[in-house]
Amino acid sequence: MGRASDELKAETVILRASQAIQEVIRKDVANYGLNPTEYSVLELLYHMGDQPIQMIGKKVLISSSSITYVVDKLEQKKYVRRQGCPEDRRVIYAVLTGEGKALMDEIIPQHAIKIEEVFNDLNADEVNQTIELLKRVGCKAINN
Amino acid sequence: MGRASDELKAETVILRASQAIQEVIRKDVANYGLNPTEYSVLELLYHMGDQPIQMIGKKVLISSSSITYVVDKLEQKKYVRRQGCPEDRRVIYAVLTGEGKALMDEIIPQHAIKIEEVFNDLNADEVNQTIELLKRVGCKAINN
DNA sequence: TAGTAAAATCTCAAATCCGAGATAACTTAA
DNA sequence: TTAAGTTATCTCGGATTTGAGATTTTACTA
């Protein structure tokens, strides 16, 4: 088995594993009336603070038109509001509302339990290895 | 940083890395008029042989209605045809056509080069580690 | 054997996503 | 300062995905 073949295999395994995790997330956050993208955006705002719309797209890796759509939905649900930036009037921040923060305060501990189950078979070292390896792969992939 | 927190981090890193790879795949296979799902299905049939429709869904991890849609598209493009199973008349196989096989003969080597770039910073051992770790995570995730 | 449960595929409507292009605001260079 | 180029956001149309439910076939059980 040559090098290139191993990498095609790695590609497949990453995609399958991530899709399986996506599915776990989908089912979990559906209990709170969210889809995975909405959860990702709320999670970003919760942990990283208010973000310009386009920064959300870069972090969550979705297209600009999708961000508009998702932020619309989250705004309808009152979890997020738009706030113009005075210094640069092109920029609009997505801001977590009190309701949004309260929701995430509730979701995240429950969600952590679900994710813990998924990584159950890995010890702490292996979890960290996974993080380090995939960080490097992810960075490389983003630069095409 | 506690255990649960590391796992939430691992979750995020896996999802980001896989989405970045998805994007690389999207751009690459777009050159051949395919989307990532269509490529995944063709890749499955190419490497694993003809498959019942529902088996494709399990392997590629998409819903039953999506498989119908994707196989329709691939059938329109003449890369795949449906073939009923005589033993169990509920089952329909997706079969790679000569054109489909020829296309994959062409795509896969090119595609391997693109993927190789993504894993450029990892040595052979690290690629294998990634595969092993994610296999275990993926299996666990599939069983909810 | 008859009747019920389960499995495989498909249909349909609604939700979500992307690409291309429009608009407004900022930046840079002549 | 002006003109051209860049950036951030949004709009719109079309493609893809999902969930719920219908249909057909098989498996199981009384």
Side-chain angles (χ1 to χ4, degrees):
Chain A
M1 182 102 89
R3 175 77 199 260
S5 181
D6 276 359
E7 283 155 347
L8 284 179
K9 178 121 191 220
E11 173 198 17
T12 307
V13 174
I14 290 182
L15 293 177
R16 296 288 180 280
S18 73
Q19 247 175 316
I21 292 178
Q22 271 265 6
E23 199 50 36
V24 172
I25 297 174
R26 177 187 301 281
K27 283 181 187 160
D28 186 45
V29 301
N31 296 322
Y32 304 94
L34 299 175
N35 67 36
T37 308
E38 291 169 338
Y39 175 78
S40 294
V41 172
L42 290 178
E43 195 264 352
L44 177 69
L45 299 179
Y46 187 84
H47 283 123
M48 310 282 280
D50 306 338
Q51 301 283 326
I53 296 279
Q54 102 281 14
M55 187 57 67
I56 296 175
K58 278 181 190 151
K59 294 281 181 62
V60 179
L61 297 178
I62 53 177
S63 68
S64 67
S65 40
S66 295
I67 313 161
T68 299
Y69 178 78
V70 175
V71 173
D72 281 350
K73 292 292 171 185
L74 290 173
E75 212 169 20
Q76 287 166 22
K77 294 176 183 176
K78 312 278 188 200
Y79 295 142
V80 157
R81 63 186 166 76
R82 284 179 163 89
Q83 188 172 59
C85 171
E87 290 84 22
D88 185 340
R89 286 163 53 208
R90 293 171 302 182
V91 174
I92 295 180
Y93 279 84
V95 177
L96 205 59
T97 64
E99 274 181 81
K101 184 179 178 319
L103 179 74
M104 292 305 280
D105 283 337
E106 184 190 355
I107 291 184
I108 287 182
Q110 316 262 355
H111 186 68
I113 294 174
K114 283 275 186 297
I115 298 301
E116 224 165 317
E117 285 170 23
V118 172
F119 287 91
N120 223 2
D121 292 349
L122 271 57
N123 63 40
D125 272 351
E126 290 169 331
V127 171
N128 285 320
Q129 272 179 42
T130 306
I131 293 175
E132 286 312 313
L133 289 169
L134 286 179
K135 254 193 201 168
R136 287 159 62 192
V137 174
C139 289
K140 197 76 185 182
I142 282 184
N143 311 330
N144 294 353
Chain B
M1 182 102 86
R3 174 79 199 258
S5 181
D6 276 358
E7 284 157 346
L8 283 179
K9 177 122 191 218
E11 173 197 19
T12 307
V13 174
I14 290 181
L15 293 177
R16 296 288 179 279
S18 74
Q19 248 175 314
I21 292 178
Q22 271 268 5
E23 199 50 36
V24 172
I25 296 174
R26 175 187 303 280
K27 283 180 187 159
D28 185 45
V29 302
N31 296 322
Y32 304 94
L34 298 175
N35 67 37
T37 308
E38 290 168 340
Y39 176 76
S40 294
V41 172
L42 289 178
E43 196 263 353
L44 176 70
L45 298 179
Y46 187 83
H47 284 123
M48 311 281 279
D50 307 337
Q51 301 283 326
I53 296 279
Q54 101 281 13
M55 187 56 69
I56 297 176
K58 278 180 189 151
K59 294 281 181 63
V60 179
L61 297 178
I62 53 178
S63 68
S64 67
S65 40
S66 295
I67 314 161
T68 299
Y69 177 80
V70 175
V71 173
D72 281 350
K73 292 291 172 187
L74 290 173
E75 213 170 19
Q76 285 166 23
K77 293 176 183 175
K78 314 278 188 200
Y79 296 141
V80 157
R81 62 185 167 77
R82 285 178 162 88
Q83 188 171 60
C85 171
E87 289 85 25
D88 185 340
R89 285 164 53 208
R90 292 171 302 183
V91 174
I92 294 179
Y93 279 84
V95 177
L96 205 58
T97 64
E99 275 181 81
K101 184 179 177 320
L103 179 73
M104 292 305 280
D105 282 337
E106 184 191 355
I107 292 184
I108 287 182
Q110 315 262 356
H111 186 68
I113 294 173
K114 282 275 186 296
I115 298 301
E116 224 166 316
E117 285 170 22
V118 171
F119 287 90
N120 223 1
D121 292 350
L122 271 57
N123 63 40
D125 271 354
E126 289 169 332
V127 172
N128 285 321
Q129 271 179 45
T130 306
I131 293 174
E132 286 312 313
L133 289 168
L134 286 180
K135 254 193 201 167
R136 287 158 64 190
V137 174
C139 289
K140 198 76 183 181
I142 282 183
N143 311 330
N144 294 353

